[in-house]
Amino acid sequence: MTAVNVDEIRARVDEDWQRIVDLLVRKTALQSISAEGITGERMRRSAEFVAEELRLVGIDAKVAQAHNADGTPGAWEVIGSRVVDPEAPTVLLYAHHDVQPVPDPSVWDTEPFVATEVGERMFGRGVADDGGGIAIHSGALKALGDDLGVNVKVFIEGEEEMGSPSFIPFIEEHRDEFAADVIVVADSGNWSADIPSLTTSLRGNTTLDVHVKVLEHPVHSGQYGGPILDANTLAAMLIASMYDENGDMRVPGVDAEEPVGGLQRDLDEATVREDAGIVPSYRLAGTGSIAARMWTKPSVTVIGFDAHPVEGSFNVIAHETTFRLSLRTAPNQEPERAQRALADYLVAHAPFGCEVSVTPGENGMGWAMDPNAEATRDALEAMEEAFGCAPVNKGEGGSIPFIPELQRIFPDAQVLVTGPEDPKANAHSPNESISLPGLRKNIVTEALLLAKLAR
Ligand SMILES: [Zn+2]
């Protein structure tokens, strides 16, 4: 057991609080927008800043430039470590130091790159995503100080918002600096500022371009309309054939799963309606919990459709069309398998025997937490102690591509996805913010987790 209890850790975090707030303020001012140049000077300075902050909390940190698969220069990464005992478990702490761009500062209520406290929240680009992750790691390491009982490795990435193009080559090059028993990815968030969560799953993603052809060339709709349906209508029939009458996908071989580790609380329909801006008359498609529908069951979206624009349209039967499908796949299904199953289904369900051909696109694997892993149980306990209430876990309908990649490269590592965000954080949007009481509890949680993992 560890010598430090939750009250002691809380007191230490309180004592350190002004430093943590200052870190966020200074980090925000650096404007580390990777979209404006991953290899640029701003990103390098941001990495140097983070490395220096990590040194202040006992991490031997350095900045290294990654290389893309083709050998060209990549992101400015921060890596570091602190070895306390070669026999003790090793924990890798992940966050990223790049931030999203601010296309229109005028829609912000505060200056995006001047971190500003308003009530219990701090506003600024990157204060939550993922400055908050850096603050959590820094605060937890400082709180434990010489009571740290695990070896720590740190990786603060410089291009997460750009899809991590040099991430894999960088890990392969620095394998030893990454190898760990437990990986804590602090780039997600909690159910609310007061209710902690582990992120239990991510869906995978795949795309397919579907080509529908009925005629060798367009013909007059007055002359041939009737026996010959236009390619757009046939495509619409094909799209509709993927659903049953309840709006559930019914494509054999495209798996559906239930929320990983059980569902403590379903998503609230009214909140989902309000957040997404759903028109009042619309009934939610599909059956079962909303959480499963949004996190662990597949969903398919038509994201592109080549049809003639309304403006300038005339009386012809379109002879062919192409549409693009984006398929979100269940966390544990290989996206290639789902992609193949969907492609086979579409070809087999060609309405009236029109020609349907499918061009497969890119695949990204999903991810599911191991709910029974020791580190998972430690994290849930730490959350309950730090927040004073039971965690409500949540999934993620989208993907964080590097997490399944990390899991693939280090299959034995227990991956925990935590983070500073909450539903009000507005990551990637105007008026991004972080809950300061929430951040404090997140720091206490991570310090407690590291203490528990030391056992
Ligand atoms: Zn992020």
Side-chain angles (χ1 to χ4, degrees):
M1 270 316 282
T2 163
V4 278
N5 63 26
V6 61
D7 294 327
E8 173 65 22
I9 287 177
R10 216 174 262 135
R12 291 183 193 179
V13 173
D14 285 347
E15 202 174 306
D16 186 32
W17 187 245
Q18 199 50 51
R19 183 192 68 84
I20 295 163
V21 170
D22 287 349
L23 189 166
L24 274 182
V25 171
R26 290 182 300 134
K27 164 83 182 64
T28 307
L30 295 175
Q31 308 196 16
S32 46
I33 305 166
S34 47
E36 293 180 356
I38 288 175
T39 58
E41 184 56 21
R42 246 188 209 158
M43 293 312 303
R44 192 188 61 77
R45 260 188 298 161
S46 168
E48 294 290 358
F49 168 82
V50 172
E52 182 55 31
E53 290 298 316
L54 288 171
R55 281 179 215 122
L56 293 177
V57 294
I59 299 294
D60 181 12
K62 65 178 181 192
V63 172
Q65 187 167 27
H67 289 89
N68 297 306
D70 64 3
T72 54
W76 294 102
E77 319 280 33
V78 184
I79 45 179
S81 64
R82 178 172 173 197
V83 177
V84 297
D85 172 3
E87 299 298 306
T90 298
V91 182
L92 171 68
L93 303 177
Y94 170 96
H96 61 86
H97 67 91
D98 65 325
V99 304
Q100 282 279 318
V102 177
D104 184 4
S106 74
V107 296
W108 284 64
D109 298 331
T110 61
E111 282 292 320
F113 293 104
V114 179
T116 308
E117 279 184 52
V118 181
E120 290 198 322
R121 302 189 75 89
M122 176 184 273
F123 288 79
R125 173 53 86 223
V127 290
D129 182 16
D130 191 23
I134 297 169
I136 292 171
H137 298 325
S138 168
L141 289 167
K142 175 77 177 178
L144 286 173
D146 289 335
D147 291 318
L148 182 68
V150 289
N151 302 312
V152 168
K153 294 177 180 176
V154 183
F155 175 49
I156 311 293
E157 197 192 354
E159 56 172 6
E160 195 278 337
E161 304 294 4
M162 299 297 287
S164 311
S166 55
F167 185 82
I168 298 302
F170 189 76
I171 300 186
E172 311 255 277
E173 204 180 315
H174 295 263
R175 242 168 198 282
D176 293 347
E177 281 142 300
F178 281 85
D181 303 294
V182 177
I183 301 175
V184 180
V185 176
D187 189 22
S188 183
N190 291 318
W191 190 269
S192 71
D194 306 317
I195 303 175
S197 311
L198 282 175
T199 299
T200 51
S201 65
L202 308 164
R203 287 194 289 196
N205 190 17
T206 180
T207 60
L208 306 88
D209 285 355
V210 185
H211 186 71
V212 173
K213 182 175 174 183
V214 59
L215 295 164
E216 291 303 334
H217 50 77
V219 296
H220 190 281
S221 62
Q223 188 179 0
Y224 287 105
I228 304 170
L229 298 180
D230 67 277
N232 300 327
T233 298
L234 294 166
M237 289 174 162
L238 186 55
I239 291 165
S241 78
M242 294 187 288
Y243 299 91
D244 67 15
E245 68 279 12
N246 296 314
D248 282 312
M249 262 190 95
R250 60 158 171 218
V251 178
V254 177
D255 296 349
E257 292 166 21
E258 285 303 312
V260 175
L263 186 63
Q264 293 97 339
R265 193 188 292 190
D266 196 6
L267 291 166
D268 170 53
E269 177 167 346
T271 310
V272 171
R273 285 181 166 279
E274 159 131 21
D275 290 352
I278 301 173
V279 297
S281 58
Y282 181 78
R283 286 177 287 112
L284 298 188
T287 52
S289 71
I290 298 175
R293 283 183 260 171
M294 286 174 56
W295 300 337
T296 53
K297 290 183 174 178
S299 82
V300 65
T301 307
V302 180
I303 59 170
F305 200 129
D306 291 342
H308 196 290
V310 171
E311 184 79 25
S313 54
F314 47 104
N315 289 325
V316 293
I317 297 179
H319 67 301
E320 60 184 351
T321 186
T322 301
F323 58 92
R324 177 166 295 173
L325 296 178
S326 164
L327 174 64
R328 300 282 175 178
T329 53
N332 288 299
Q333 180 165 37
E334 289 274 337
E336 292 81 358
R337 267 190 45 230
Q339 185 188 52
R340 255 196 321 273
L342 180 55
D344 291 348
Y345 180 90
L346 293 170
V347 170
H349 287 75
F352 299 97
C354 65
E355 286 180 20
V356 173
S357 57
V358 179
T359 309
E362 298 256 301
N363 295 307
M365 186 64 199
W367 173 82
M369 180 183 82
D370 175 0
N372 300 313
E374 209 175 330
T376 303
R377 290 201 302 270
D378 286 338
L380 294 173
E381 265 178 42
M383 286 178 164
E384 183 147 7
E385 286 174 42
F387 280 75
C389 68
V392 175
N393 291 340
K394 62 190 189 62
E396 192 72 68
S399 315
I400 307 180
F402 73 84
I403 292 177
E405 289 295 339
L406 267 180
Q407 190 77 81
R408 183 180 60 79
I409 298 171
F410 302 107
D412 297 331
Q414 299 175 22
V415 178
L416 299 170
V417 181
T418 66
E421 292 173 31
D422 62 57
K424 293 185 181 144
N426 281 356
H428 297 209
S429 305
N431 298 317
E432 178 175 351
S433 70
I434 187 169
S435 157
L436 295 172
L439 173 62
R440 194 186 298 242
K441 290 174 188 164
N442 273 319
I443 293 171
V444 174
T445 298
E446 188 166 294
L448 281 173
L449 169 64
L450 293 175
K452 287 175 193 293
L453 292 172
R455 244 186 351 225

